[in-house]
Amino acid sequence: MFDLKKITRANIQGLKPYSSARDEFSGSDGTFLDANENPFGELNRYPDPYQQELKQVIKEDRNVDLKNIFVGNGSDEIIDLLFRIFCNPASEKALTFSPAYGMYDVTANINDVELIKINLNDEFDIDYSSVEPFISNSDLKLILICSPNNPTGNCPDFDVVERILKTFNGVVLIDEAYVDFTKEKSFVELIDMYPNLVVSQTMSKAWGLASARVGFAYADSTIIDLLNKVKPPYNVSGLNQKAAIEAINRKDIYQKNKNRILEEKEKLYNSLSELEIVIKIYPSEANFFLVETQNANQVYNELVNQKIIVRNRNNIVRNCVRITVGTGDENELLIQALKSI
Ligand SMILES: *Cc1c(COP(=O)(O)O)cnc(C)c1O
């Protein structure tokens, strides 16, 4: 049985969170002399600590109750908060699958938490049998699963992930940074079923707001309460909340740009597959391809010389580079450059 109390760090359970001036009085009408703000200017007031207007629009868009939504300073903040809430430094553990998003490793290191890494199989899928020996380890508090996965581009088998959710008594983060690009099912629909499930999404990719640093976590309200307790009081700036609200209110622009990316993705796939230097293009549910080339280090360096930057993943997946789908012109420049190598 999953028992949130049992897996939450004792210091976090007992934490009395900072109470900001805007927590104690949150109305918008009044004479505000409580927060030592400057009375002049346009950005002079602290932003809403709980981003209520933003939550209202994302609630409609994702069909999730307000009590199940947390807004982070990018989804990277959410990953860090989960380590800080659930994993005692220097003793407890987290687990992820390899190859995966590099921030899991860095965040685990910063928090002094051992990150167990299990290799995905040859199809970049999760074999349940490879996780099973760890599931009942009482030091293991957090499992991180990326779907669609960065850098491989595929979604791990839904049923296997659900089996992990069912059998693991710690918290499972499903990082859905690229979910908007796929037709595969999101795990958000399952948050009512699994009290140990946290789903993260971001405005950095399909929404085109990487600069604004806005990410979401969807989970049972008891986990959302813990995230709110531990986050910095004003973790998402007023400017960024506003940018996010405007983007969500312009769903037409989002759709149009996303469709353009998906069209370019198909064209890019076709052009890449005709190149001699390309050995394999892994199937992708995201806005990038993991591409095996003849000599990835050389390909990477020659592209950099031509001022085209891709991600060299050679030390994670041999002879692979990760290529983001750009505009039609950008992709064409890439293809011409690859032809010249
Ligand atoms: C890009 C990416 C993120 C995004 O993080 P933000 O902090 O929201 O910009 C999260 N997870 C994965 C796997 C990513 O590739």
Side-chain angles (χ1 to χ4, degrees):
M1 263 287 284
F2 173 73
D3 179 351
L4 186 65
K5 258 219 170 100
K6 230 167 143 180
I7 67 137
T8 303
R9 291 173 63 200
N11 63 316
I12 301 297
Q13 278 181 51
L15 179 72
K16 189 172 177 299
Y18 177 71
S19 175
S20 72
R22 291 292 174 269
D23 282 327
E24 286 161 15
F25 182 88
S26 62
S28 57
D29 260 5
T31 304
F32 289 100
L33 304 174
D34 59 344
N36 296 348
E37 294 152 334
N38 187 317
F40 307 112
E42 280 174 28
L43 297 172
N44 57 324
R45 298 291 175 190
Y46 281 105
D48 176 0
Y50 298 110
Q51 308 96 9
Q52 294 170 81
E53 196 183 340
L54 173 53
K55 281 179 186 163
Q56 195 63 45
V57 291
I58 199 69
K59 166 194 162 202
E60 314 266 304
D61 192 78
R62 300 284 134 150
N63 196 20
V64 181
D65 279 353
L66 289 176
K67 68 175 193 314
N68 301 115
I69 305 172
F70 174 84
V71 187
N73 192 273
S75 42
D76 283 349
E77 182 181 41
I78 292 161
I79 299 165
D80 184 59
L81 287 170
L82 293 175
F83 274 95
R84 287 160 64 196
I85 292 169
F86 297 115
C87 304
N88 277 303
S91 61
E92 295 181 329
K93 295 173 186 160
L95 180 150
T96 193
F97 299 90
S98 198
Y101 183 41
M103 276 305 283
Y104 303 155
D105 226 356
V106 175
T107 311
N109 282 333
I110 291 168
N111 287 287
D112 196 12
V113 171
E114 184 190 331
L115 183 67
I116 299 164
K117 278 181 266 180
I118 295 179
N119 285 333
L120 295 169
N121 67 22
D122 291 344
E123 279 80 50
F124 294 138
D125 222 327
I126 298 172
D127 283 329
Y128 184 79
S129 61
S130 67
V131 205
E132 198 168 23
F134 299 93
I135 288 270
S136 52
N137 179 338
S138 62
D139 291 337
L140 181 65
K141 293 296 164 81
L142 181 63
I143 295 182
L144 307 144
I145 299 172
C146 190
S147 179
N149 188 35
N150 174 6
T152 60
N154 65 310
C155 294
D157 187 272
F158 197 93
D159 296 337
V160 174
V161 176
E162 197 172 1
R163 193 163 168 206
I164 293 171
L165 276 166
K166 277 190 182 135
T167 49
F168 180 50
N169 287 331
V171 167
V172 180
L173 171 70
I174 318 267
D175 180 341
E176 293 190 338
Y178 300 95
V179 75
D180 301 283
F181 295 109
T182 176
K183 291 196 170 67
E184 301 277 327
K185 208 160 94 184
S186 164
F187 279 88
V188 169
E189 291 164 39
L190 276 60
I191 57 169
D192 291 334
M193 277 172 71
Y194 297 105
N196 59 339
L197 169 62
V198 180
V199 179
S200 66
Q201 297 182 355
T202 179
M203 297 200 73
S204 299
K205 307 287 157 62
W207 289 97
L209 281 188
S211 178
R213 315 302 307 125
V214 177
F216 301 101
Y218 307 104
D220 189 85
S221 64
T222 51
I223 292 186
I224 299 296
D225 291 347
L226 287 171
L227 288 164
N228 279 325
K229 201 158 117 162
V230 176
K231 80 179 181 78
Y234 305 109
N235 62 325
V236 182
S237 82
L239 290 171
N240 294 350
Q241 292 184 44
K242 185 159 174 270
I245 292 164
E246 279 169 10
I248 298 166
N249 282 335
R250 289 304 307 268
K251 199 79 194 274
D252 55 324
I253 299 177
Y254 158 89
Q255 273 303 347
K256 194 176 103 206
N257 288 340
K258 188 169 89 176
N259 290 342
R260 282 163 74 184
I261 292 167
L262 292 175
E263 277 165 33
E264 291 302 334
K265 179 183 165 186
E266 203 171 314
K267 281 199 247 165
L268 178 62
Y269 180 91
N270 293 334
S271 312
L272 284 171
S273 54
E274 283 166 14
L275 300 180
E276 212 169 301
I277 203 165
V278 168
I279 294 169
K280 178 168 183 172
I281 309 165
Y282 286 92
S284 169
E285 298 293 326
N287 63 333
F288 58 81
F289 287 109
L290 187 69
V291 181
E292 186 186 345
T293 66
Q294 279 176 19
N295 181 338
N297 286 339
Q298 190 198 346
V299 167
Y300 174 78
N301 288 325
E302 301 232 5
L303 286 176
V304 170
N305 287 341
Q306 302 193 41
K307 295 201 175 117
I308 297 171
I309 322 300
V310 297
R311 193 92 153 111
N312 188 356
R313 300 282 78 181
N314 176 50
N315 49 9
I316 305 174
V317 191
R318 201 171 144 64
N319 271 331
C320 282
V321 292
R322 193 193 66 199
I323 301 174
T324 308
V325 180
T327 63
D329 288 350
E330 288 172 331
N331 301 337
E332 190 49 37
L333 276 179
L334 169 85
I335 295 296
Q336 291 314 321
L338 285 172
K339 278 182 181 162
S340 74
I341 295 173

